[in-house]
Amino acid sequence: MKVLIFDTTDAAVQAVADRLLGEIRMNPGVVLGLATGGTVEPVYERMVNSFESGEISFAGVRTFNLDEYVGLSGDHPMSYHTYMNRHLFSRTDFAAYNVNIPRGDVPDPTAEAGWYEAEISRHGGVDCQLLGIGENGHIGFNEPTSSLSSVTRIKTLAPETVSANSRFFDRVEDVPTTSITAGIATILRSRKVALLATGEKKSHAVAKMIEGPLSAICPASALQLHPLTEIYLDVAAASELTLHDYYQAVHPNGRTDVP
Ligand code: F6R
């Protein structure tokens, strides 16, 4: 695990955006795994900026989003389909046929989950997976005690996730309580992982992910098993790390170009 701590939130966000843009420049047909949520919004904003300034094209990039709420149609204002269109897809040249997000409003969500897992494999797997982290340590919607060998399936949201995500809905009762989510094993099969966490609210989960025991109670700790994971943090999100000084010595201010 590369632990990269940046002086400012902006610098952490920019570094993640640069990482994804670098993957695309290296391979214009790259398969990206994408996440939703407040943390990654500014990453998408920077990707849009790069597109608008003519630096990059996303026309050949294939994407697989991690998750979707069960019961919400693609055009529901709070669906992750709408989120992705609003923040990234409708503002760039991603091709609709290259974009994949689980469909939450299908009659058989379990069959959809199985199909989605197979689709990821059929396209050769994810090259680089972008992740955020929940305050309870979830990645995707893999809530605490999710099996570390889980694949795409239906997951019931933890009460704290429903409460955290209620900020995007009019009322907490409107937040769906189940989701289709890529599993922990699905995520671990990605060739590279880039996780972004910002703000003090994430500091506890970040410490458990990086330094805690490998345990289903903190699903993100499964990333300790992944050989090419980079964790991008601002100072606040890194504030509970015991080996903070060590990470800073290895990668001062998130730099990866120092020996
Ligand atoms: C959603 C997802 C989630 C979020 C997490 C953090 O696609 O992957 O795991 O990354 O809930 O959400 P924010 O960034 O809103 O705190």
Side-chain angles (χ1 to χ4, degrees):
M1 227 179 222
K2 254 185 208 164
V3 181
L4 308 172
I5 304 169
F6 295 82
D7 276 351
T8 64
T9 306
D10 259 12
V13 165
Q14 188 63 53
V16 173
D18 288 344
R19 183 82 177 87
L20 296 181
L21 294 168
E23 290 291 325
I24 296 165
R25 284 192 189 100
M26 258 188 329
N27 174 12
V30 71
V31 180
L32 293 183
L34 298 179
T36 59
T39 311
V40 294
E41 275 177 31
V43 173
Y44 296 144
E45 192 61 38
R46 281 165 172 77
M47 290 172 74
V48 169
N49 293 343
S50 292
F51 169 74
E52 286 174 345
S53 61
E55 288 165 39
I56 194 109
S57 166
F58 303 112
V61 178
R62 189 178 301 281
T63 64
F64 283 93
N65 263 79
L66 285 167
D67 42 19
E68 180 57 284
Y69 291 114
V70 168
L72 298 197
S73 62
D75 59 2
H76 186 286
M78 292 306 141
S79 73
Y80 286 164
H81 284 74
T82 299
Y83 170 104
M84 290 307 301
N85 284 330
R86 183 186 310 133
H87 293 290
L88 188 64
F89 297 146
S90 71
R91 303 170 64 195
T92 53
D93 64 345
F94 278 96
Y97 55 81
N98 280 336
V99 162
N100 301 276
I101 306 176
R103 289 165 299 176
D105 61 344
V106 289
D108 186 348
T110 298
E112 170 75 4
W115 176 82
Y116 196 74
E117 182 77 21
E119 274 299 284
I120 298 174
S121 301
R122 191 169 76 80
H123 288 289
V126 168
D127 293 310
C128 186
Q129 174 69 57
L130 172 65
L131 293 176
I133 183 172
E135 288 171 47
N136 64 2
H138 74 210
I139 45 176
F141 273 137
N142 294 287
E143 300 288 22
T145 71
S146 287
S147 162
L148 300 185
S149 53
S150 52
V151 295
T152 307
R153 71 213 182 288
I154 311 306
K155 246 341 249 183
T156 301
L157 305 195
E160 59 271 21
T161 302
V162 172
S163 154
N165 289 6
S166 65
R167 71 192 194 278
F168 300 114
F169 290 78
D170 289 339
R171 303 174 314 157
V172 68
E173 303 82 61
D174 295 338
V175 185
T177 53
T178 51
S179 67
I180 300 179
T181 182
I184 307 273
T186 318
I187 292 170
L188 291 181
R189 274 200 294 273
S190 311
R191 282 176 270 283
K192 297 174 196 166
V193 172
L195 183 146
L196 174 64
T198 55
E200 196 274 328
K201 277 186 175 174
K202 300 291 172 71
S203 60
H204 191 58
V206 163
K208 283 174 71 182
M209 162 176 68
I210 297 171
E211 298 176 339
L214 171 63
S215 165
I217 201 71
C218 178
S221 68
L223 295 173
Q224 294 172 18
L225 294 170
H226 192 280
L228 286 175
T229 285
E230 293 180 341
I231 311 288
Y232 294 76
L233 304 171
D234 65 3
V235 171
S239 59
E240 289 191 45
L241 288 169
T242 307
L243 300 186
H244 181 280
D245 294 351
Y246 169 68
Y247 309 130
Q248 276 292 17
V250 179
H251 299 295
N253 298 322
R255 284 178 55 195
T256 51
D257 59 342
V258 279

